[in-house]
Amino acid sequence: MNAELSQNFGKIIRELRKEKKLSQEELGFQSNLHRTYIGMIERGEKNITLENIEKLSKGLDVSMKLIFEKLNKIHQ
């Protein structure tokens, strides 16, 4: 697992969640993921699957493309 990549991904998810004014619990509910899992993603502790990235993008009401574009900007 690339720790830096996971941490950068987590920062993006936290940033988007806060922009939407969602708690981890609310995002978990909207994404059909557990709130503790959301926290682990945001801290870069999980190597997340594409399926769960899709769930997060739907829960955040953003495209997967936007998430990956943001990730590409900070992780080079």
Side-chain angles (χ1 to χ4, degrees), residues 17-61:
R17 176 179 61 79
K18 289 185 175 189
E19 283 177 10
K20 301 284 183 169
K21 296 183 176 34
L22 296 172
S23 67
Q24 289 179 346
E25 188 171 6
E26 290 168 324
L27 177 56
F29 179 76
Q30 291 183 22
S31 302
N32 199 29
L33 298 168
H34 197 275
R35 66 176 172 76
T36 58
Y37 185 66
I38 301 294
M40 288 188 286
I41 292 167
E42 289 184 357
R43 291 188 300 275
E45 298 172 354
K46 286 291 180 182
N47 189 7
I48 185 170
T49 64
L50 284 172
E51 181 179 332
N52 286 341
I53 293 171
E54 181 183 39
K55 288 180 180 183
L56 280 174
S57 72
K58 288 180 180 178
L60 290 165
D61 194 29

